[in-house]
Amino acid sequence: MKNIYIYIISIVVFIASSCKSLVPPHEGPIKEPKYILGSFMTFWSYWYNEVRLSEDFVPYNEYDSVVSKDLFLKKVLSGEYLPVKLKSND
């Protein structure tokens, strides 16, 4: 009888740990890229007030997948990508 309880508890723990959260880790950009790139002043204000590449952050690529900070910073340095700060759910 004890073995059945252990088996059932193991299955419940396995199922609970394998479920992914349905809540995305972020809600979207704090400012739209179109607005940020609208003028030099809006770009500079955004870059000065919001972009903190020296702090801890979770980098995402253009496909909304987590990437390494090294790859993220290389893409930003290429000049072809704009780092966009996202609203976090937590």
Side-chain angles (χ1 to χ4, degrees):
M1 188 72 165
K2 238 181 187 181
N3 289 339
I4 292 175
Y5 289 125
I6 292 173
Y7 182 71
I8 291 172
I9 291 172
S10 298
I11 290 175
V12 170
V13 168
F14 175 75
I15 291 172
S17 66
S18 65
C19 293
K20 285 189 172 182
S21 173
L22 298 177
V23 178
H26 57 80
E27 297 175 16
I30 60 167
K31 293 186 180 175
E32 291 297 322
K34 195 176 214 178
Y35 170 78
I36 296 168
L37 298 173
S39 71
F40 177 77
M41 288 307 294
T42 57
F43 169 78
W44 185 248
S45 174
Y46 168 77
W47 191 268
Y48 182 78
N49 294 315
E50 303 296 342
V51 178
R52 304 281 187 264
L53 297 176
S54 62
E55 295 180 1
D56 282 340
F57 61 92
V58 178
Y60 288 87
N61 64 10
E62 61 271 25
Y63 304 110
D64 206 23
S65 299
V66 176
V67 295
S68 70
K69 288 185 182 181
D70 184 48
L71 177 63
F72 178 82
L73 294 174
K74 284 179 182 177
K75 286 188 173 194
V76 171
L77 283 173
S78 75
E80 296 179 20
Y81 294 89
L82 172 70
V84 178
K85 187 174 184 179
L86 302 173
K87 297 175 195 167
S88 176
N89 289 333
D90 61 0

